[in-house]
Amino acid sequence: MNDRPLFEYTLGLADDALVSAQRMGWWISRAPELEEDVAMANIGLDQVGQARSLLTYAGELEGEGRTEDDLAYLRDDREFRNVKLVERPMTDFGVAMARLLMFSTYQLHLYRALSAGSDATLSGIAAKAVKEVAYHVDHATHWVLRLGDGTDESHTRMQAALDAEWPYVDELFGSRAPSLAGRVVDPAELRDPALTDVRRVVGEATLTVPEVPTALGGGRQGLHTEHLGFLLAEMQHLHRSHPGATW
Amino acid sequence: MTQTTMPPARQIAASVLDPELPMVTIEDLGILRDVTEDDQGRVHVTITPTYSGCPAMETIREDIVTTLELSGYRHVDVEFVLSPAWSTDDLTDAGRDKLAEAGIAPPGPVHAAGGPVALSLSVRCPQCGSLDTRESSRFGSTACKSLWVCRTCREPYDHFKAL
């Protein structure tokens, strides 16, 4: 099989999930409470699972024999196709929850549509993932409501988090390649339903939808922030130091 | 020869325990999808994960192969499938009973994914049967569980989340 446009599309979905999972893992031992360490580890684990299935399928679509591990561990940053939203560091818990709300709401709409799509493999992966992601949306929603409609301090920080993340939301909804019309979900069509959901939570949390300019995209073309290289260095180090090692 | 309701290979595969919930078999969990055996004695087993990232799948694969090999099957392969997606509704009644006996509250019926935030109903305490309980953590020791506390008997317990 050699289906370059679908390979690139699938790789984008896989890399979003994989890079987000790596960032979620950073929170283990750093979250505000023990239960949240466990929550973020579990959410990250779901995302890794989704990434594994998607990377395996991407490897088949490419038709050059690359496995999920080859794709995860042996590509450099310019070959990653994730959006910038998921790759930037987050050291404030409010930022983590703002981002999770945006990203998982997008994923929920994406997977729901893909599960009804014509590509049997993507449909199978999405039908599995949509149930997991619904729980992530629920979790992020609880926190955004609690922090936004909480104390003055939590409200201020939750608003600052939304302001910091909002410029990067737009890139999630970039159009798929024209040649994929009718074959896969066009993320551009998810913009209104997904953002309507996010805005509703933001409003209910007594927060304000930020009026901020859109950040420069390019992640789907391999143009990333400097942060992705450091993330990959950590994620890929072991595999590259011991090629072919198994246990 | 005794009559059995399942082909022998299926019966053997069905006895494999879940490594993270060793009180239930993969048959109880509903993750054993199919076992076929050809006339050469080659066995093909199909299983499905509970969650996409379930880390127990490799161990389950090895356990299936080892268990069948110990029973004399020489060629065993295990395939993972995602579709149709597993649901906690696939848990057998026997599996639910075993979970409850081990102090894990079994899942209720599944709600449609992605609907409005569901009203959380109380989860009955598997120790004393009280409905006066509260969720203490939405995530637990494995992907499939959340953590609850009983207000009546004060015992903490795991709940197998509906998925």
Side-chain angles (χ1 to χ4, degrees), chain B residues 116-132:
Chain B
V117 175
L119 266 181
S120 2
L121 299 170
S122 181
V123 172
R124 188 180 294 278
C125 171
Q127 305 293 343
C128 74
S130 169
L131 278 169
D132 186 13

Side-chain angles (χ1 to χ4, degrees), chain B residues 84-162:
Chain B
W86 177 85
S87 151
T88 41
D89 288 347
D90 298 340
L91 268 163
T92 63
D93 289 341
R96 286 165 196 271
D97 291 346
K98 289 180 195 172
L99 287 174
E101 277 166 32
I104 298 172
V110 174
H111 303 283
V117 175
L119 266 181
S120 2
L121 299 170
S122 181
V123 172
R124 188 180 294 278
C125 171
Q127 305 293 343
C128 74
S130 169
L131 278 169
D132 186 13
T133 60
R134 67 177 178 86
E135 188 181 55
S136 66
S137 175
R138 307 187 67 251
F139 293 84
S141 54
T142 63
C144 52
K145 291 180 294 193
S146 58
L147 203 58
W148 287 65
V149 179
C150 177
R151 289 198 181 96
T152 304
C153 72
R154 308 282 176 190
E155 283 288 324
Y157 59 94
D158 280 329
H159 166 51
F160 204 119
K161 295 181 283 199

Side-chain angles (χ1 to χ4, degrees), chain A residues 18 27-28 50 61 87 138 147 151 164 184 211 220 236:
Chain A
L18 182 63
W27 283 96
I28 300 169
Q50 294 155 19
L61 290 165
E87 75 192 31
D138 204 26
L147 295 173
T151 64
V184 295
E211 301 261 351
R220 296 274 188 248
Q236 298 177 334

Side-chain angles (χ1 to χ4, degrees), chain A residues 35 38-39 42-43 45-46 49-50 53 108 112 124-125 127-132 134-135 138-139 141-142, chain B residues 49-53 55 82-83 85-87 113-115 117 135-140 142-143 146 161 163:
Chain A
E35 288 80 359
V38 177
N42 270 290
I43 292 170
L45 184 63
D46 287 342
Q50 294 155 19
S53 298
L108 181 66
R112 198 188 280 156
I125 296 168
K128 182 90 209 147
V130 73
K131 303 203 278 181
E132 298 158 0
Y135 205 73
D138 204 26
H139 190 69
T141 299
H142 276 104
Chain B
T50 53
Y51 282 72
S52 300
L82 290 179
S83 191
W86 177 85
S87 151
V117 175
E135 188 181 55
S136 66
S137 175
R138 307 187 67 251
F139 293 84
T142 63
S146 58
K161 295 181 283 199
L163 181 82

Side-chain angles (χ1 to χ4, degrees), chain B residues 35-72:
Chain B
V35 181
T36 57
E37 188 181 346
D38 69 12
D39 50 16
Q40 308 290 311
R42 285 185 292 250
V43 181
H44 184 78
V45 181
T46 311
I47 55 175
T48 191
T50 53
Y51 282 72
S52 300
C54 177
M57 291 305 278
E58 279 308 321
T59 305
I60 294 173
R61 182 211 296 267
E62 286 169 20
D63 288 350
I64 290 170
V65 171
T66 308
T67 307
L68 281 161
E69 281 178 351
L70 285 172
S71 299

Side-chain angles (χ1 to χ4, degrees), chain A residues 104-165:
Chain A
S104 59
T105 303
Y106 152 80
Q107 280 192 310
L108 181 66
H109 286 270
L110 172 84
Y111 288 142
R112 198 188 280 156
L114 274 179
S115 65
S118 60
D119 186 290
T121 306
L122 284 179
S123 160
I125 296 168
K128 182 90 209 147
V130 73
K131 303 203 278 181
E132 298 158 0
V133 166
Y135 205 73
H136 305 171
V137 172
D138 204 26
H139 190 69
T141 299
H142 276 104
W143 271 113
V144 171
L145 292 175
R146 185 170 159 188
L147 295 173
D149 197 10
T151 64
D152 288 347
E153 170 74 9
S154 73
H155 178 89
T156 303
R157 284 174 66 175
M158 198 60 234
Q159 185 64 54
L162 274 183
D163 294 349
E165 295 306 288

